Amino acid sequence: MTGPDNELMVERKGYLGIIQLNRPRALNSLNLNMVHHMREALATFADDPEITSVIVAGEGGRAFCAGGDIRIIHDLGKANDPDVSRFWREEFPLNYTIAHYPKPYIALMDGIVMGGGVGLSAHGAFRVVTETTRLAMPETGIGYFPDVGVSWLLPKAPGEIGTWMGLTGNEVNAADAIFAGLADVHVPSERLEELTKAISALGPSHVHKGIEMLLAQFSTPPAPGMFETGRELIDAVFSHNTVEEIIATLKARDDAFSQTTLQTLQKRSPTSLKITLRMLRLARDSSGLIECLEREFAAGLEVLKGYDFYEGVRAAIIDKDRNPQWQPAMLSDVTNEDIVRYFGQNPHPVFASHRL
């Protein structure tokens, strides 16, 4: 079975259910129909006794999933179309479903894995990265913030690794994705097809253990990342609870990493930086994934009422001048009162039907 226009390919191979994101020209970015049909496919596989596990992958070799289709979200938001919130109302429960899926859920994170792509993979039971993996939550660069439940995951990374990832939006490789707890094992991309075939032969007896054994068999050491050696510096800088303190600490240092990081943060939306840091700090004391997703949902609706998201998408996707003019443009002009409204009570919880 397939989704509309074959944007989502769903098939069975032996005991395995396979979901293939099939928008390679758009780097497999998600739209509402893909999310809807993926939820349907997962429900079908969960109820099928002949299916013992599910693999999710991206078509085309360049990307697992580059995230939600922000051009569509931009246009719907500009038009005040209710479908813009409907996308998140379907996407966020999908992230929750993945996190609590009753059968082994295996994400093949080959190529670009960004934004919503992290939501489709990092919540899964088995997260496989390759030598081509480029993982990021780049939302502060488009006037938004890390969502899809990643505000629940990033604070669980060692030290302040998650804070660095959320604020800078920088890409990391396979080793760093594993170090941050967003992936489990590195497998060469040329062996993914062979791995898929081997998993498809695993029947219902001890399937979870069988997958673990196969991943150990296929895994190889990834190329070195930066987190293992750079964590001490990241922790020292990003342990502060205000963006202003983080910036001041970076300015006081003269090493190359600090100066590069400073330049990166100075290009991000000041409002998004403050929303993101508060989101990550609040998540530390949250009860679970649902609470974080609902907080993200409420903040996302507020972002659509503002300026920076539309300006960020314009600069990155529409005009592609890479020169967003944020409003406010300075951190000092973003007050606590400005940020509080993103964290108010959501009158229409996206997870009302999921509560026990």
Side-chain angles (χ1 to χ4, degrees):
M1 53 183 172
T2 66
D5 302 319
N6 295 326
E7 292 175 337
L8 194 78
M9 308 291 290
V10 182
E11 64 175 315
R12 302 161 186 266
K13 181 177 291 185
Y15 293 102
L16 179 65
I18 300 175
I19 299 174
Q20 191 94 355
L21 308 178
N22 190 36
R23 295 183 70 202
R25 292 185 179 179
L27 300 177
N28 297 318
S29 57
L30 292 171
N31 58 34
L32 179 59
N33 284 325
M34 292 169 71
V35 170
H36 177 72
H37 284 272
M38 185 169 176
R39 291 181 68 185
E40 285 187 338
L42 287 175
T44 298
F45 287 146
D47 292 337
D48 189 337
E50 297 298 318
I51 295 296
T52 60
S53 60
V54 174
I55 274 182
V56 179
E59 180 62 37
R62 295 177 58 201
F64 169 74
C65 174
D69 194 326
I70 59 173
R71 176 62 183 267
I72 292 176
I73 297 172
H74 169 281
D75 293 348
L76 292 175
K78 278 276 191 181
N80 294 315
D81 192 311
D83 267 0
V84 70
S85 65
R86 184 182 165 204
F87 176 79
W88 289 326
R89 286 182 188 277
E90 294 223 21
E91 183 187 29
F92 288 9
L94 173 60
N95 303 137
Y96 180 83
T97 295
I98 292 168
H100 296 273
Y101 199 61
K103 297 179 179 181
Y105 177 103
I106 306 139
L108 303 184
M109 303 162 67
D110 194 34
I112 295 169
V113 187
M114 295 184 182
V118 179
L120 293 186
S121 54
H123 293 295
F126 297 99
R127 294 88 48 92
V128 180
V129 285
T130 75
E131 73 280 1
T132 71
T133 298
R134 293 164 48 201
L135 184 147
M137 294 299 296
E139 286 80 4
T140 58
I142 57 165
Y144 193 55
F145 59 88
D147 63 350
V148 296
V150 174
S151 68
W152 172 245
L153 298 175
L154 290 181
K156 292 176 168 44
E160 297 297 335
I161 293 296
T163 309
W164 178 89
M165 292 185 69
L167 292 180
T168 67
N170 286 347
E171 296 176 5
V172 301
N173 68 2
D176 284 337
I178 294 171
F179 190 93
L182 300 175
D184 301 301
V185 63
H186 171 269
V187 174
S189 58
E190 64 183 14
R191 300 201 69 190
L192 292 180
E193 185 175 349
E194 185 183 356
L195 173 64
T196 299
K197 182 178 180 180
I199 293 174
S200 72
L202 294 174
S205 179
H206 307 295
V207 62
H208 197 280
K209 185 65 175 178
I211 294 171
E212 289 180 342
M213 293 176 64
L214 284 172
L215 291 179
Q217 175 185 332
F218 279 80
S219 69
T220 60
M226 59 159 287
F227 285 161
E228 188 168 356
T229 58
R231 178 188 163 181
E232 183 176 350
L233 176 55
I234 290 173
D235 287 356
V237 172
F238 285 86
S239 60
H240 300 293
N241 290 323
T242 70
V243 180
E244 287 86 350
E245 289 175 296
I246 292 172
I247 294 291
T249 303
L250 290 169
K251 286 182 176 179
R253 302 181 62 93
D254 60 4
D255 57 277
F257 174 83
S258 295
Q259 292 306 304
T260 300
T261 303
L262 176 63
Q263 293 170 12
T264 297
L265 293 180
Q266 289 174 333
K267 295 176 183 178
R268 304 310 188 220
S269 159
T271 301
S272 292
L273 290 175
K274 291 197 171 185
I275 293 171
T276 297
L277 185 58
R278 182 169 297 192
M279 192 83 68
L280 296 178
R281 295 298 185 252
L282 287 172
R284 288 176 171 175
D285 297 319
S286 294
S287 60
L289 177 57
I290 283 183
E291 182 179 344
C292 291
L293 284 166
E294 288 193 337
R295 185 182 295 124
E296 294 167 4
F297 180 75
L301 295 182
E302 287 298 318
V303 164
L304 294 177
K305 299 175 185 177
Y307 173 83
D308 276 7
F309 172 71
Y310 301 103
E311 173 63 8
V313 175
R314 178 206 65 75
I317 302 296
I318 300 174
D319 296 337
K320 299 182 180 180
D321 58 30
R322 307 291 177 181
N323 186 32
Q325 303 299 307
W326 307 120
Q327 295 181 8
M330 304 293 293
L331 273 173
S332 57
D333 293 332
V334 183
T335 67
N336 184 62
E337 290 71 25
D338 293 330
I339 300 303
V340 166
R341 69 185 180 91
Y342 294 93
F343 296 90
Q345 292 296 314
N346 176 18
H348 303 290
V350 68
F351 281 98
S353 62
H354 287 69
R355 293 200 176 278
L356 299 178

